Amino acid sequence: KGRSGKGFAWTAIIVGLISTILWVAAGLFFGGMAVRFIEQAGEVTTTTIQAGYDGDYTLLREGLARSSVTVSDEEIASFIEQLQSRYGKFDSAVMNMEEQDQTLKPTSNEAPLPISLVFETTDVRADVLMEVIPGGGFDFELKIGCIRINDSKNGDLVFPVGSDCDNTNASD
């Protein structure tokens, strides 16, 4: 009788150890994916806006989702001019994890992300609707669907105008 109790105990210890190792591995894997997602969201937004500042509209369009690539050069120029006149030189974009009050309504393959746009004089809060494009395996690519800068002083700024970020044309 005592022998089967020991067997059950050892089985429980081994099963517990294996499941703990699997949970830790899964946590590390998905944690790494989350970090990659956050970093890529900042990089794509930074590269895309910087391309506009540099006048490279081809590179800017490469950062845009299919729904936004048809934006005209005039619309891009207008958006960049407004950014420059309001906030000055653009530095970078970083995902802002503190802000989670999203008002953008995503579709199935979009993720609304709170992003801080860092300029030489100020930081500006923006909501960026990212299109998630699945790649092979666990790979993915992010593209900007639209950007809404929430600016209570100068008025909100939406790019492209008329996009999903433009709540002036929302039907709800």
Side-chain angles (χ1 to χ4, degrees):
K1 259 187 174 164
R3 276 215 167 319
S4 68
K6 265 189 181 168
F8 282 130
W10 277 109
T11 301
I13 289 169
I14 291 168
V15 167
L17 194 60
I18 291 170
S19 64
T20 300
I21 290 168
L22 291 174
W23 276 110
V24 168
L28 291 172
F29 173 77
F30 289 110
M33 292 280 289
V35 167
R36 217 173 92 224
F37 184 84
I38 290 167
E39 287 172 351
Q40 196 173 341
E43 288 167 12
V44 167
T45 308
T46 299
T47 303
T48 303
I49 293 176
Q50 189 58 56
Y53 266 71
D54 296 342
D56 187 345
Y57 295 173
T58 305
L59 181 60
L60 182 144
R61 282 190 182 91
E62 285 176 18
L64 298 179
R66 284 185 303 274
S67 60
S68 300
V69 291
T70 57
V71 66
S72 71
D73 286 358
E74 292 75 27
E75 287 177 273
I76 295 171
S78 170
F79 176 66
I80 297 300
E81 281 170 24
Q82 288 185 58
L83 290 179
Q84 286 174 324
S85 65
R86 287 183 182 195
Y87 314 115
K89 185 178 170 296
F90 177 70
D91 183 43
S92 65
V94 289
M95 195 155 154
N96 182 353
M97 295 308 292
E98 287 83 55
E99 297 287 343
Q100 287 300 330
D101 56 331
Q102 285 300 324
T103 53
L104 300 180
K105 307 216 177 2
T107 60
S108 61
N109 64 334
E110 292 175 328
L113 303 176
I115 301 241
S116 284
L117 302 177
V118 181
F119 294 87
E120 64 183 341
T121 55
T122 186
D123 291 6
V124 182
R125 195 176 93 63
D127 293 324
V128 179
L129 202 57
M130 287 281 184
E131 181 180 4
V132 181
I133 301 163
F138 292 104
D139 236 10
F140 60 87
E141 189 178 0
L142 295 178
K143 300 274 188 179
I144 295 173
C146 57
I147 301 171
R148 183 175 68 228
I149 295 174
N150 305 299
D151 187 340
S152 54
K153 195 172 86 178
N154 303 302
D156 291 355
L157 193 54
V158 173
F159 176 80
V161 174
S163 64
D164 289 343
C165 292
D166 197 345
N167 57 9
T168 58
N169 67 353
S171 56
D172 53 352

